[in-house]
Amino acid sequence: MEFPAASAHRGLVPWLGLLLAVYLLAFWIPGTTAHFAIVQTRAVEGQDVILRPEYSGRETANLDGSLTIRNVTASDLGIYGVVAILPHNEREIGYGRLNVYGPVSVPTLVASNTTVTENEDAVVMTCYTKADFTSWLHNAKSLQLGKRMKLSWDHRTLTIDPVRREDAGNYQCKVSNPFSSFVSAPLELVVKY
């Protein structure tokens, strides 16, 4: 069931979310310690998502109370709220988060230099991507960071200073979101000694 005003109000709400009023036709028992929230949802841009309220108590909802957002975009990311209007005009408010992820594409790996001299040179490798998560591979295995290796805050840049012969080999960056992942083409680092 789509909330009729959802498209008209998208982007006009001052806080990160949209308040959706849901009328519960169930009998509310006073003193119940129920949990009322929106199920946390993840989506890829372009998907349709349905935000559903969840209840953890003795109450039941006779109406669906869901909100459909068609063709979700990054601007739809945020906190959404739901209000249950109970008997005697009491209100129960619940919140949930919608995470929206952009599509992941194959990253490009670039190095400051691919042929270096042991204990003299440093190398900086940069993984070009818009993905949310980045990890590194060395010779097709997960890279174990040593004392001479540093990652940037977003994990997209790897610095090795100074380079040693055990650092030689193929490097790749792996990018992902909860829906997909891709690995860059291998970049060979040659270490002269």
Side-chain angles (χ1 to χ4, degrees), residues 42-49 69-77 98-104 130 132 177-180:
R42 301 184 300 195
V44 174
E45 285 185 304
Q47 272 187 327
D48 293 347
V49 295
I69 303 174
R70 301 206 187 285
N71 196 21
V72 71
T73 67
S75 65
D76 295 316
L77 172 135
L98 171 62
N99 293 314
V100 179
Y101 298 93
V104 175
K130 292 182 181 180
D132 297 313
N177 68 22
F179 298 95
S180 63

Side-chain angles (χ1 to χ4, degrees), residues 46-189:
Q47 272 187 327
D48 293 347
V49 295
I50 299 174
L51 302 179
R52 297 188 192 288
E54 65 179 10
Y55 315 94
S56 63
R58 295 186 300 190
E59 72 281 355
T60 56
N62 293 329
L63 294 178
D64 180 290
S66 65
L67 170 70
T68 299
I69 303 174
R70 301 206 187 285
N71 196 21
V72 71
T73 67
S75 65
D76 295 316
L77 172 135
I79 305 295
Y80 286 76
V82 62
V83 176
I85 301 174
L86 308 169
H88 310 301
N89 210 23
E90 293 178 33
R91 296 170 189 251
E92 184 72 25
I93 300 173
Y95 299 94
R97 181 167 184 79
L98 171 62
N99 293 314
V100 179
Y101 298 93
V104 175
S105 57
V106 177
T108 302
L109 182 57
V110 177
S112 59
N113 197 347
T114 56
T115 303
V116 292
T117 304
E118 183 178 35
N119 290 320
E120 290 183 19
D121 295 327
V123 66
V124 178
M125 296 181 213
T126 304
C127 183
Y128 290 96
T129 181
K130 292 182 181 180
D132 297 313
F133 306 103
T134 305
S135 59
W136 290 82
L137 304 172
H138 180 226
N139 294 327
K141 295 181 183 172
S142 185
L143 176 66
Q144 302 300 313
L145 290 177
K147 293 179 185 178
R148 300 168 293 102
M149 298 178 181
K150 294 181 183 162
L151 286 176
S152 62
W153 66 272
D154 59 3
H155 290 211
R156 293 180 185 170
T157 302
L158 170 66
T159 303
I160 306 173
D161 187 13
V163 176
R164 293 201 182 141
R165 65 183 79 180
E166 62 263 23
D167 299 324
N170 288 319
Y171 286 82
Q172 293 173 286
C173 60
K174 179 180 179 181
V175 298
S176 63
N177 68 22
F179 298 95
S180 63
S181 66
F182 288 100
V183 177
S184 69
L187 185 144
E188 185 179 6
L189 180 64

